[in-house]
Amino acid sequence: MTDSQEQNPMKPYLGKLVAVKDLATEIKLFRVELMNGGSEAFSAYQPGQFAFVSAFGFGEAPFGIANTPQRGPCVDFAVNRLGSVTTGLHELGEGDIVGVRGPLGNCFPMDQFKGKNLIVLGGGIGGAPLRPVIQTVLDHRADYGRLTILWAARLPSLLVFTDEYDEWRAAPDTSLHLTVDQADEKWDHNVGLITQLLEKVTPSSENAVTITCGPPIMIYYVTRMLAQMGFALKDNYVTLEARMHCGLGKCGRCNLGTKLICVDGPVFNMAQVGELMETFL
Amino acid sequence: MAFEPRIIAYLCTWCSYTGADTAGIARLKSPANIRDIRVPCSGRVSPELVMRTFDQGADGVLILGCHIGECHYETGNHRAAKRLPILRALMGYAGLEPERLRLDWVSASEGERFSRIATEFVDTVRALGPVRWRVPGDEIPALTQQFAAICGDVPLGEYDCAAKTDAIRAKAKELLTSGAVGYVVGYEVGPRGRTRPSFANTPEEADKLVWNPDCTYNLTTYLGKKRRPAVKGIEQPKPVAVVVKPCDSRAINVLLTENQFPREQVYIIGVTCEGTRHDHGALQVRCQTCNDRVPIVYDTLIGEPPAPVPEHPTPVALKIAELEKETPAERMEFWLSQFDRCIRCYACRQACPMCNCPVCLYERDDSLWIGMGVNMNEKRAFHLGRAYHMAGRCIGCNECERACPMNIPISLLNMKMAQEIEAAFGHRAGMEPVPSPVVTILSGEYKEG
Amino acid sequence: MNLITQAQLAEWLDGLARQRTLIAPHEVAGVLLYRPVESSQKIAWGFGRTVMSVKEAFFPPTERLLTIEKSDGGIKLIENLPEGEQVLFGVRPCDARGVRILDALFLDKEPVDPYYARRRANTALVGLACKEMGPTCFCTSVGGAPDEASDMDVMLYEVEGGYAVETVTEKGKALLQTINLEEQTVEKPIVNRQSPALSVAEGSIENQKSPIPNPQFISWPAHFTSEYWPRVSERCLSCRACTYVCPTCRCFIIRDEVLPYTSGEPAAGAFERIRCWDSCEGENYRRIAGGHRQRAEKSERLRNRFFCKFYYYPEQYGLGAASACTGCGRCVDICPVNVDITEVLTDLAR
């Protein structure tokens, strides 16, 4: 049997960890160099897509791809240590081999966003799939309007990609607003929930789209507030999560009503989510 | 090459591990077959760990702790002393020679004793030969034993239920009208003519409740958090009322001792019982010799105590006695042939009032005790493990066996455990609100702060 | 159609059993299951319906997808694609329809599942028409029939003197080459398409004889928020038996485990990636790391099962108007607390 993924979608590509960095407490960044045909499969992935990363012997789990191919050639994943697979991954270091299956799912319609103002809201580890959105805007700055980033976490030690904030702030017509639920002595930015930050920043809804990712309860309250602020549901984009096992639309676990999050999503706009019948909460 | 057994020894760090050290320092001869695993206390050696050790291929398992009265944690070795003999009986019943599992006591200074016990144990296991327990690899054992479901053939005719039906309806109406309870769990007859559990939420719905010989279900299974429907439209949780037969009422006692719900949250409508029917009309096996015809605990009692039945052994007890006379190999084949058709649907566990763990040990994603595959070793580990967890808690309602799509005779495991517990401790589950002797209850001093 | 006798059929099946795996209805401790049999003598002749469906032959309860070898040299992945030809004998039309419904998911929707595809290509279906419908059958309400042959490779009908044989596909034709079909022909028998136990309807079940409603005429979205689901799920135990006996339920879970070893000791670094059946009725089906559980209430889970069967699956996998239910009635028989799919359909259609 050759290693072609065309023939067996359940068989992962092998990837070597070229870097493992601490991003935050119990959150690590894994930079993977795809091997044996995998680099071809991962040459053109889009922001919003995800992949299954295998810690062989423990299992595999889905993670949002946290960078763009332009910032490649390696693929970035941000992994929060919570269960057995993520614990297995956290035990690995540079040079170790993981498995990668993908890229899977749909993507943010970056082409449709061109010329618009983007408001990006990231809560905790939910910021990871939003990073490629930010990178795309930064790398094609003239194609997009104003970029407003609202970045939140429960604690300062749980904020992700802190060493990139300067790059984001430095970009033209781009602002970064940080908030934490609970501050420490060194914290000198906002304190409070992301909804409170949103109230403070009050971005204009004119010619704007929002992109939100975080815990389901955060998505719920943020999109409710955005509606009150005059944003149309169809202009609010989210990436949803549900437990996935195959990522291919076969195992049936990730459905919300008639939609499968792995193939019809994970990116939806809130007008679509409203038609789902089943709640994403 | 002659067979040399592979033994795993669990040694408690305070006494027996040091005792093994003492033996080594004194240059006493101890067999090389033993691989030591140091544990904090012999009481920590859980049954699942022992079963897994045999599932991984050990020929023998030796557990050594401090002498009784000398445990560093005071009662840890008591726990081992109570639980491990019950486990040995269960595994013996499933086909493992009981001599392959040994529990003993060695103190830190008893190097000679350690050496003697170790040598004795290795000699015993060597004489038994290589263990036949783990089903290797992908092997599907050639199984020849068939054993049809135990149902017996004592017919149960119709008996007058009208009075009880009326009384249940009246009581339910009274409780619902006064608002004393949020709903009443009883029985109804569905459109296909099958009796089934019923939830009366209003006084009008109380009219669908019935009593008949098919009321075999144990309704106390709906009292635990996992399967209890919410009381509708009411902010403060209201009590619920439940119709119980005598066997079911024992489940309430067990659940109360395990703090599944406060006593005042349940209103018990006890009903005396002439026996209930299997699907095809025969008397349920558990009813054949039942002389507990009046509920053990109740808030209101409906019906007169029926006449007692003469004592005679049930088909379950007879089969257990028959199995006990067989060789371990014969018993192993019997049980493997039963577990062979298990599909791990867990219907048995879901039907059981006592199975209430938020995430079952055998279904945890990070479980190291058991894999998730539907293969022989795993299935047997689940069934034996669950039977062990039910020791001293199972009240014999047999809902597990009734719910099983594959007619696996689970009652043969549960009743065997009940017999062992009664012989060792004189305990019958649920007859009093007293916990099972093999369940560890932390005392009040250890409440979470 | 051609006629064959019982003796001819037995001989043919014995011949097939010598060349490939013959899977047929077989009694195991009083439970009727489709199992591999070495000869036709082991077949439970005169069976009605088995407890489990034939889906096990295409989508087994546990399946090894990959073998994983971890060593200092790196990781080696070996695919474990199924080999070997199978013949399924005694397949009822409802079960064969179930296989077709699973085809829509595993084969027709990209990407093709190679494990299912291999088994499907290597398996022939020899059907046996039902002479009548059983007490809990309702295949006719979901577009099937007790004598429906279109999903088989070969179809047999019980007649006086033996069986009428219908060749349905090329694969079936090739299978029949080893049997001498009688010159005499026989008419295809007429089967009673009335479900004998009556439909579920209000009041006395003796009086009403209306069939179980066709689910495609129920407006499913309109019933999503109905109070009906909390009521009907009150007695549900989340026991999951309904999904395991169902011919079309296919939810699965994937995990890495230690590779079972045959002798000696487990080899260090040898794992298998397996997939196993799972069920949406389980309490922790949608539990994610961190503890959040979607569909925490059993009413939401039970509702999902019915909606998936009659609304989500048909839309997701292009079944058109048909439902993903084959009307076999196994779930009705197996449910320990009589949650009845035919009762649900009747109540919703009202």
Side-chain angles (χ1 to χ4, degrees), chain B residues 417-440:
Chain B
M417 286 282 90
Q419 287 176 352
E420 290 292 322
I421 293 284
E422 191 167 355
F425 304 101
H427 173 87
R428 282 184 74 209
M431 297 308 286
E432 285 169 44
V434 163
S436 161
V438 292
V439 167
T440 306

Side-chain angles (χ1 to χ4, degrees), chain B residues 22-292:
Chain B
T22 307
I25 291 166
R27 301 267 196 270
L28 291 166
K29 238 177 142 11
S30 293
N33 312 60
I34 300 187
R35 295 183 212 194
D36 299 331
I37 296 180
R38 185 158 64 148
V39 294
C41 178
S42 55
R44 183 262 174 272
V45 181
S46 53
E48 294 85 9
L49 186 58
V50 175
M51 281 200 267
R52 184 147 176 91
T53 312
F54 282 110
D55 281 344
Q56 294 260 286
D59 294 298
V61 173
L62 178 63
I63 300 147
L64 298 178
C66 308
H67 287 278
I68 298 289
E70 291 174 15
C71 176
H72 183 84
Y73 305 103
E74 288 187 25
T75 52
N77 54 3
H78 294 181
R79 192 166 181 263
K82 282 192 292 187
R83 290 156 65 103
L84 290 169
I86 302 289
L87 175 68
R88 193 191 309 124
L90 176 66
M91 293 189 82
Y93 184 60
L96 180 78
E97 297 97 331
E99 298 82 11
R100 292 188 187 269
L101 174 60
R102 177 168 174 172
L103 170 68
D104 217 315
W105 321 110
V106 170
S107 79
S109 58
E110 288 180 319
E112 270 199 31
R113 183 173 163 84
F114 173 84
S115 173
R116 176 174 60 76
I117 291 176
T119 310
E120 246 175 47
F121 186 63
V122 172
D123 288 344
T124 305
V125 177
R126 190 186 292 115
L128 288 171
V131 67
R132 281 188 63 239
W133 177 255
R134 193 181 72 87
V135 179
D138 298 328
E139 185 184 298
I140 299 165
L143 303 164
T144 54
Q145 288 221 35
Q146 291 215 12
F147 179 68
I150 302 170
C151 50
D153 49 12
V154 177
L156 176 68
E158 299 291 337
Y159 51 81
D160 180 29
C161 304
K164 284 188 184 171
T165 300
D166 288 340
I168 290 171
R169 286 182 186 171
K171 192 64 189 171
K173 266 206 184 76
E174 177 201 313
L175 291 167
L176 289 163
T177 312
S178 69
V181 300
Y183 56 75
V184 179
V185 189
Y187 302 93
E188 71 181 18
V189 178
R192 261 187 206 275
R194 295 187 198 170
T195 305
R196 63 194 189 189
S198 177
F199 290 73
N201 290 278
T202 65
E204 294 73 38
E205 286 181 8
D207 280 328
K208 59 178 178 164
L209 298 176
V210 300
W211 179 262
N212 62 40
D214 296 311
C215 291
T216 191
Y217 306 76
N218 186 343
L219 300 176
T220 60
T221 199
Y222 297 107
L223 297 178
K225 285 193 203 94
K226 284 177 111 179
R227 290 174 280 275
R228 188 192 316 164
V231 178
K232 292 158 200 31
I234 297 168
E235 275 172 25
Q236 269 283 20
K238 264 199 185 175
V240 301
V242 62
V243 174
V244 296
K245 306 188 292 294
C247 46
D248 309 337
S249 66
R250 290 169 58 186
I252 295 195
N253 270 342
V254 180
L255 293 171
L256 285 173
T257 62
E258 294 173 1
N259 295 313
Q260 283 296 316
F261 47 81
R263 176 65 181 88
E264 54 279 5
Q265 280 292 310
V266 179
Y267 186 94
I268 308 169
I269 303 173
V271 183
T272 63
C273 182
E274 285 91 338
T276 58
R277 268 199 301 233
H278 206 267
D279 273 341
H280 59 260
L283 183 63
Q284 290 281 22
V285 169
R286 70 178 185 282
C287 302
Q288 287 180 17
T289 49
C290 174
N291 268 320
D292 303 313

